[in-house]
Amino acid sequence: MALMLSLVLAAGIAIWQLRQGAVADTEDDNHRLGVVLAEQTTRTLQAVDFVLREMSDKIIDSGVDDLNVLHKIFGGLDVHQALARRLVDLPQVIGFTIVDSSGHLVNLSRKWPVPDYSVADRAYFQYFAATADPNPYISEPAIARTSGEKAIFLVRRITGLNGTFLGVLVAPIRLDYFDTFFAKTGFSDGTGVSIVRRDGLILVHFPGSDLRPGTRIPTKLSWYDLVASGGGHYRLANTFADLGPTFVSVHPLKHYPVVVDVVRTQAAALARWFRQAIAIAAGVLSASISLALLLRALTRQVAISEASQDQISRQVKALQASETLLATTLEHMNQGLIMIDATGMMLICNKRAIELLDLPVDMMAAYPRAADVIEYVRQRDDVLACSEPPLDMGLVLDNQACYERRRPNGTVLEVRTAPLPDGGLVRTFTDITARAAAEAMLGLAASHDQLTGLANRNGFNTRLDATLAAARRGNPEVAVLCLDLDRFKAVNDTLGHDAGDQLLVLAAQRMREIARVTDIIGRLGGDEFAIILPATNLAGAEQVSRRLLESIRMPYILGTERARIGVSIGIAIYPTDGGTAEQLLRNADTALYKAKAAGRNTFCAYATEDGQREQHRVQLEQDFRTAVELAQFSLAYQPICDAATSEPVAFEALLRWNHPKRGAVPPSDFIPIAEQTGLIISLGRWVIEVACAEAAAWALPLRIAINLSPAQFRDQDLLSFIRDVLSRTGLAPTRLDLEVTEGLLLEDVADIVKTMQALRSVGVRMVLDDFGTAHANLSYLRGFPFDAVKIDRSFLRALNSDRQARALVEAMLAMAGALGLDVIGEGVETPEQLTLLCLLQCRWVQGFLLGRPAPSEETRELIWNRAANNPRGDKAVRLPRATHR
Ligand code: C2E
Ligand code: CA
Ligand code: CA
């Protein structure tokens, strides 16, 4: 505002000064012009006046003192001519006139002869008749009689030597003359000039205006004072004429009663100033507007910033309040709380956290780096002292959201973590010592097996999770072993549950003895066990497995009884065989199946291809269960013939699975599944039932050979079941052969011998199948009551080319003969093989050469045809009963 004010003030002063200057300039100009014009006017009058004075002097010098004399001397033609001559040089003058004291003309320049008329009525005549004024007189404008032109009259008195009034000399001066003269001078706009008689009567005004000659300057104006004081300036606020305010410069002539006025209208005088003032005012105005706008914008800005200042201060207050609230809450909460930002700075660590974690107060006050705090805790041996994971005290960005931590002083803390959006984290510590103690009591029961004191499945899984979590940080390998006791069920069934339990305890004991303290043993159920071996690779796991096999197969004393069991072990290694507890356990289990399939009492490591095989197996197993339900099974019958005549003496029943999608699935694929799943018992019974019924329906009383799995053979009810089937189907027991493999002989010898003897006592024959493939030698066979052996087809295949094979077959035949056993050569495919077997005294043969396995109808037909061709066929095919024992 001050700036605007001073701007306006400065502009005002400038405008005022400019105006003053303009006024002064106008007055100066007027004055100079006035001086010049006054001088000029004086000269114009003087030139005329000179003629008048000359004439006057002549009249006086001539001594005239009487009216008549005057006429006589000066009324003549010569004077007239002299006067007329004078007119030549004075264009302003209309003429010269000599008037006598009575008012009558004496002579005049314009006319001859002199007309007779009187000017006694004229004011100038009356003035001079009355007054002896030696100065010239100037009349008001009037019409000159001689020419009819408008003029003013310059008049002088002719005064005789004694002072007598002789008359007047008159010279009318054309008013036109002045107009012409002024016009030549060239005034600027708004400027005018007046010739005024001293008494205020205007004689001439140029240019023409309301100031008409003949009007009078009002007496109230200071003009009169200025004339009296010899000239000067004055300002007319309002002229008597229509010029508006004017500046007037007043110049009285010295020798004549005339004043020259230079008049300039204020409008003209100040026109330039006015334009300048407008320009300045406009400048100031626009500057002021700009300034005002600027001022307004500034005011607004200030208002806004004041408002935001206000808001900020409110926010700061709110922030301070929430900070106080936070600080108070943090200090009084029952939980320890720390906050670590994304850069690893520990920004918050409340009092309770310091107490619970036993941290140094001054260290925590200085916003330490989390890494430094961890290092401090590590050095104090706090974390290392607790075996539970994780090892970072919950300060590292661990992904576990919640876990428990036991401190060396016995306190149990629940550690919870919440990640912050910016990458940091908040972690709380709750003292749950009391709760943990209560839980420990209950938890022990929930996580431990009552019988062995080992971890149960639940406990084992928890420990495995924990071990893997620790391993993930340190990255060592972890071995997981799955164990399955072989033949435990047999012990349990024969010796009773108490003995079974005792056996489990003892087995667990042996496992404990072999395991290290850090290893974790669990009983997952029944005779299933599992062991975690932390920081152990495959080689280490295999070594442990070997020792377990050795230890567990040692005999057990159960009360008064002695028992032997074996163990099958599957191995999976973290992280190669799986990253999670679930995967590892599953894969160790797959390896366990492999170990069992490989003949039990051994161990197997998991291999990735096992996974696919396992998948296939699982699928097949599922299908198999449906197959059992839907009865997709059938039997094929393959003849066993007399080597000399090639006549069938018996048929072997071979199981067939017609899979709806896969077609005929070979028994080698599904029999192991049936064995593993235990379905072999019922399936086997079905085979016995169907085969016996079929054989009973045959046209000839040929023998039927049925294969038995070891599991079937261990079945306590086998004997009674077979008795039952035989009586139901009406098949003579002597027509039934039961084939078992060498694998069976590795199991509990006494049991098997007992069952075999029982079967034989009924009349059933026992045949050892696939002889020569396993380790059993013939002398070992001596202990078992077999009726016949089947030499495995792998020997027959090699018979032609391999001399050693031939020697072996010869030896087998000789030994079998010595033991009183029948020998059946299996897999005879070529006539050469048959000839050779005949040569070697092998009486019975089986193979594609003699007949492929065929469906029951085909077989029935074949037998029917034989019966028709050879009515005494029954004698021919009857096998002699083994004679020994
Ligand atoms: P296995 O008891 O040794 O049965 C003889 C197998 O040899 C049959 O295979 C048969 O088709 C095949 N074979 C017979 N002659 C020849 C020949 O000249 N050359 C060749 N290369 N092979 C010949 P299959 O039917 O595939 O049976 C395989 C095995 O499955 C059987 O071997 C037996 O151990 C088992 N099996 C079959 N049926 C049953 C059953 O009902 N119960 C049980 N527990 N096992 C069975
Ligand atoms: Ca067989
Ligand atoms: Ca065989």
Side-chain angles (χ1 to χ4, degrees), residues 617-676:
R617 190 189 68 80
V618 168
Q619 181 63 45
L620 208 59
E621 189 178 318
Q622 271 172 12
D623 292 356
F624 183 75
R625 287 178 193 273
T626 18
V628 173
E629 281 165 26
L630 298 174
Q632 289 172 348
F633 296 100
S634 62
L635 291 177
Y637 301 90
Q638 188 181 28
I640 299 165
C641 301
D642 186 320
T645 64
S646 296
E647 278 298 313
V649 293
F651 281 86
E652 183 179 3
L654 293 164
L655 195 51
R656 293 290 174 262
W657 178 11
N658 297 307
H659 193 280
K661 278 188 213 142
R662 297 176 202 219
V665 183
S668 53
D669 276 10
F670 68 83
I671 294 293
I673 299 172
E675 285 174 341
Q676 282 159 16

Side-chain angles (χ1 to χ4, degrees), residues 769-770 790 826:
D769 203 355
D770 300 344
K790 272 188 168 179
E826 239 189 329

Side-chain angles (χ1 to χ4, degrees), residues 635 638 652-656 667-668 671 680 687 707-709 712 739 769-770 793 826-829 846-849 853:
L635 291 177
Q638 188 181 28
E652 183 179 3
L654 293 164
L655 195 51
R656 293 290 174 262
S668 53
I671 294 293
I680 193 68
V687 173
N707 295 285
L708 283 186
S709 287
Q712 280 175 278
E739 296 187 3
D769 203 355
D770 300 344
R793 66 170 172 274
E826 239 189 329
V828 180
E829 291 177 350
Q846 182 184 5
F848 292 165
L849 181 68

Side-chain angles (χ1 to χ4, degrees), residues 720-756:
S720 58
F721 177 75
I722 286 177
R723 269 214 206 100
D724 189 42
V725 170
L726 288 174
S727 72
R728 261 192 286 130
T729 56
L731 186 75
T734 47
R735 286 177 65 194
L736 179 60
D737 285 3
L738 290 179
E739 296 187 3
V740 294
T741 52
E742 286 174 74
L744 179 71
L745 311 182
L746 301 172
E747 306 207 354
D748 207 325
V749 180
D751 280 353
I752 289 163
V753 171
K754 241 170 33 191
T755 314
M756 282 171 76

